[in-house]
């Protein structure tokens, strides 16, 4: 697959995942497109870590969100039956703690992803890396969520502006 096609897949997937609040199907389709694009981008640059960072950050974060929803939902139901209001508070606190840990891990892997792609893009990649990391740390204050949204927009710009690899002189030009 050509780099331009992979970039379009990854950017479209990223945009669709940002629109998942409209319908969960958009998020799922976006996730698949994003990962497919990132796989081929990693293949183009011959860097397996590109796909690994993208996979861990997106699938791991999604799985954590599902686990959190189950923990908070079932914990609230069972906590109410077993321990009353104290059980509900404990299950919500555990869910929020798990969410924060998942956001920190996602921020770390997204930061590593942007730093891996930085040599093939503009200096915006380093800004996106920083915003992912600082946004993840500050997510506990809710300010970080805005930084994470800005980092996603910057990631889309980074992906759209990736440069193809240069072919050495005398080669056929095919990758």
């Amino acid at each position: 697959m050509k780099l331009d096609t992979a970039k379009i897949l990854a950017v479209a997937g990223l945009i669709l995942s940002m629109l998942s609040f409209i319908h969960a199907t958009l998020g799922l389709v976006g996730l698949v497109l994003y990962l497919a694009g990132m796989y081929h981008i990693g293949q183009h640059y011959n860097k397996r870590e590109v796909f690994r960072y993208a996979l861990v950050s997106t699938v791991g974060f999604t799985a954590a969100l599902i686990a959190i929803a189950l923990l908070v939902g079932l914990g609230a139901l069972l906590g109410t039956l077993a321990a009353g209001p104290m059980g509900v508070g404990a299950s919500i606190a555990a869910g929020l703690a798990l969410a924060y840990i998942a956001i920190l891990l996602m921020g770390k892997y997204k930061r590593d992803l942007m730093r891996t792609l930085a040599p093939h893009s503009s200096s915006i990649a380093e800004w996106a890396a920083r915003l992912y990391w600082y946004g993840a740390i500050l997510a506990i204050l809710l300010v970080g969520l805005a930084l994470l949204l800005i980092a996603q927009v910057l990631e889309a710009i980074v992906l759209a502006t990736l440069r193809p690899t240069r072919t050495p002189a005398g080669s056929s030009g095919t990758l």
Side-chain angles (χ1 to χ4, degrees):
M1 178 181 291
K2 292 186 177 183
L3 179 63
D4 289 338
T5 307
K7 290 182 344 184
I8 290 170
L9 281 176
V11 171
L14 196 59
I15 291 169
L16 285 176
S17 69
M18 283 192 262
L19 297 175
S20 65
F21 66 90
I22 295 172
H23 198 277
T25 306
L26 290 175
L28 184 60
V29 170
L31 176 74
V32 171
L33 289 175
Y34 176 74
L35 291 176
M38 294 309 287
Y39 174 79
H40 290 290
I41 288 170
Q43 292 293 315
H44 176 80
Y45 293 121
N46 199 24
K47 293 183 178 183
R48 289 185 177 179
E49 62 269 19
V50 168
F51 180 67
R52 185 170 32 101
Y53 292 149
L55 182 67
V56 171
S57 67
T58 56
V59 174
F61 185 68
T62 304
L65 288 179
I66 291 169
I68 291 162
L70 290 174
L71 179 67
V72 171
L74 290 176
L77 176 65
L78 296 175
T80 302
L81 296 174
M86 193 71 144
V88 174
S91 67
I92 291 173
L96 291 175
L98 185 58
Y100 185 63
I101 292 168
I103 289 172
L104 284 175
L105 288 174
M106 182 267 314
K108 182 224 179 288
Y109 281 101
K110 285 286 196 173
R111 178 191 66 192
D112 294 345
L113 173 64
M114 290 295 99
R115 287 187 174 160
T116 302
L117 292 175
H120 308 287
S121 184
S122 64
S123 61
I124 293 175
E126 186 57 38
W127 278 100
R130 287 181 188 150
L131 284 177
Y132 268 125
W133 183 239
Y134 296 139
I137 291 171
L138 294 173
I140 199 159
L141 302 175
L142 299 178
V143 156
L145 299 178
L147 293 178
L148 290 173
L149 182 61
I150 294 168
Q152 271 192 313
V153 171
L154 291 179
E155 181 182 1
I157 294 169
V158 167
L159 294 175
T161 59
L162 287 173
R163 295 181 299 269
T165 55
R166 294 190 176 116
T167 39
S171 68
S172 65
T174 57
L175 295 174

